[in-house]
Amino acid sequence: MKPLIEIKNLTIEFFLKNGNLKACDNISFTIYKNEVVGIIGESGSGKSTLASGILNLVQAPGKITSGEVYYYDDEDNKINLLNLSVNEFNQYRWKEIATVFQAAQNALNPVLKIKEHFIETVLAHSPNEKEEDILKKAEEVLKHVRLDKSVLEYYPHQLSGGMKQRVLIALSLILDPKVILLDEPTTALDVITQWYILDILKDIHKRLGVTLIFLTHDISVISGVIDRIAVMYAGELVEYGEVDDVFQDPSHPYTKGLLNAIPTLRDDVTKRKAIPGNPPNLIQDFRECKFSPRCSIFLEGKCEADREKTKKMYFVNETQCTRCYKYAENLNIEYYMEAVGNEPIKNR
Ligand code: ADP
Ligand code: MG
């Protein structure tokens, strides 16, 4: 597996009147070429901030206070995205990394026909492109989202929410990107439409081999689509791994809680348990494990919630990592490895 995007020790803070809010706290994570990754976490855990960090679009009062984001192009050249000028970054945005932003359905300009969105997007990157060629390409990408070319003549208000979302996915494909970041792509859509859109995205992945990164609070929607999962809590990654491993043996109590809260068609909904408590205020200097106030292991007195020990990730197998040091301590020593950056090293 070749790396595509390497996030290293990325910290993003918002400088607010009442203090500094650390929305992304020292995140290190590698996304590989052609995979489908889900980044999961409840609202406010830092997903959208992470997306804006990857795209170097963090705006005041926010700031990237440390870390790097590397992109590997087709020739495996390693590019530090955060060192690029605005003009240089525009070479990568859309052409290499496309995005479907949260609440994107409102992003379409109501006074422009759908075709004008395609034309404007392409011309912004390739000013010499001919209109008829752009429209031909637009028809092709609309096919991928199962829309007829006739929608090119429509205005946004003539489309349903699901159709708008499909137009935006088609728009993200117009410059043949290598990766698409999808921030809550199915939120605000009804369940049937959610499944339909995921099916379309699965198809696009299979046909075009494009890497997909889903950011969502809803683990149940994307669990059938993703190869790997990364779980965020209060600005930190708390666990990541292959989806089957994580679902079978979640290593972090927060992941366990998320999985316990998924309703299934057959089971008794009253047995589904939401995680007790609320996420912490992120304007604070954490002295204990961020999850401890909601963690049953801590509340039962079986963990010290040592903040320092939660500043590392621990490998529980070759591909699965956890921030829960109690889980790691209870494991076979051979597998107990720290992750420094992205390189595992034997800890003891
Ligand atoms: P998610 O996408 O997981 O819901 P966000 O990245 O939107 O989370 O937010 C993470 C944290 O950063 C939250 O505490 C949120 O209130 C804060 N935050 C996000 N954007 C801003 C902003 N522009 N100004 C101040 N705080 C922000
Ligand atoms: Mg968000």
Side-chain angles (χ1 to χ4, degrees):
M1 278 201 306
K2 286 187 170 173
L4 178 67
I5 295 176
E6 208 171 270
I7 303 162
K8 282 211 156 158
N9 305 103
L10 188 67
T11 297
I12 305 172
E13 294 177 67
F14 290 97
F15 295 89
L16 306 174
K17 259 187 265 152
N18 44 344
N20 297 357
L21 187 157
K22 215 177 251 183
C24 288
D25 188 357
N26 201 23
I27 291 183
S28 295
F29 188 58
T30 302
I31 291 148
Y32 296 96
K33 289 184 176 165
N34 300 108
E35 70 170 346
V36 184
V37 180
I39 299 176
I40 317 284
E42 62 205 312
S43 176
S45 56
K47 304 180 296 295
S48 295
T49 306
L50 176 62
S52 63
I54 293 172
L55 299 164
N56 205 359
L57 290 174
V58 180
Q59 290 181 356
K63 192 170 185 279
I64 295 175
T65 48
S66 73
E68 285 104 44
V69 180
Y70 296 105
Y71 181 80
Y72 292 81
D73 69 11
D74 274 348
E75 282 85 46
D76 280 335
N77 298 310
K78 185 175 177 176
I79 296 124
N80 186 340
L81 292 181
L82 304 185
N83 276 354
L84 299 179
S85 68
V86 176
N87 281 341
E88 286 170 334
F89 204 114
N90 282 341
Q91 292 302 310
Y92 291 89
R93 219 173 275 141
W94 289 98
K95 283 189 194 167
E96 304 275 336
I97 310 173
T99 328
V100 177
F101 284 109
Q102 190 165 355
Q105 292 147 56
N106 304 324
L108 292 168
N109 186 334
V111 301
L112 295 183
K113 283 186 177 177
I114 300 302
K115 69 174 180 190
E116 287 161 310
H117 289 84
F118 283 98
I119 293 167
E120 284 201 351
T121 304
V122 174
L123 290 184
H125 292 90
S126 318
N128 298 325
E129 205 75 38
K130 279 205 229 110
E131 199 172 305
E132 58 174 287
D133 292 337
I134 299 173
L135 292 178
K136 216 181 271 167
K137 177 77 185 180
E139 285 174 22
E140 188 189 310
V141 290
L142 282 170
K143 264 191 213 146
H144 287 307
V145 298
R146 304 173 198 168
L147 283 174
D148 187 77
K149 62 182 179 191
S150 58
V151 303
L152 288 169
E153 295 298 332
Y154 288 16
Y155 286 96
H157 73 266
Q158 294 173 292
L159 304 176
S160 69
M163 287 168 89
K164 278 191 240 178
Q165 191 65 320
R166 280 146 72 193
V167 164
L168 285 156
I169 293 167
L171 200 55
S172 78
L173 291 169
I174 191 78
L175 294 172
D176 299 316
K178 301 293 176 313
V179 49
I180 311 178
L181 260 166
L182 300 130
D183 194 357
E184 304 280 7
T186 62
T187 308
L189 299 173
D190 64 84
V191 177
I192 308 276
T193 311
Q194 286 184 350
W195 288 113
Y196 189 57
I197 292 208
L198 285 172
D199 194 54
I200 285 173
L201 285 164
K202 237 197 278 192
D203 219 36
I204 288 172
H205 172 71
K206 226 191 290 170
R207 279 197 221 181
L208 307 177
V210 54
T211 304
L212 298 178
I213 307 172
F214 287 92
L215 300 120
T216 175
H217 69 283
D218 195 342
I219 194 170
S220 60
V221 174
I222 59 156
S223 57
V225 184
I226 55 179
D227 309 318
R228 272 198 319 140
I229 185 170
V231 181
M232 271 187 96
Y233 185 75
E236 289 182 322
L237 279 189
V238 294
E239 168 156 21
Y240 60 80
E242 286 175 15
V243 76
D244 294 342
D245 291 346
V246 173
F247 275 43
Q248 248 170 47
D249 191 2
S251 60
H252 197 282
Y254 178 62
T255 315
K256 280 181 200 160
L258 279 183
L259 293 175
N260 275 334
I262 298 182
T264 65
L265 283 177
R266 274 179 301 152
D267 77 357
D268 177 357
V269 197
T270 56
K271 284 196 196 132
R272 298 289 109 210
K273 283 192 303 244
I275 304 165
N278 292 308
N281 179 352
L282 298 181
I283 306 181
Q284 62 169 299
D285 204 8
F286 287 88
R287 309 236 153 149
E288 294 191 322
C289 164
K290 290 187 184 184
F291 187 63
S292 60
R294 301 173 78 182
C295 176
S296 59
I297 303 172
F298 174 72
L299 296 172
E300 285 163 15
K302 293 180 191 152
C303 180
E304 319 73 35
D306 186 334
R307 172 73 183 138
E308 284 309 308
K309 288 189 184 168
T310 69
K311 286 185 178 170
K312 298 169 187 160
M313 295 285 273
Y314 306 94
F315 276 80
V316 303
N317 62 42
E318 275 77 34
T319 50
Q320 189 180 355
C321 256
T322 186
R323 195 171 293 283
C324 178
Y325 70 90
K326 268 297 145 190
Y327 186 95
E329 278 176 8
N330 291 333
L331 275 185
N332 186 326
I333 281 167
E334 243 183 284
Y335 279 127
Y336 179 25
M337 296 184 288
E338 272 176 41
V340 174
N342 295 294
E343 305 299 326
I345 52 160
K346 274 222 165 75
N347 197 39
R348 51 177 183 177

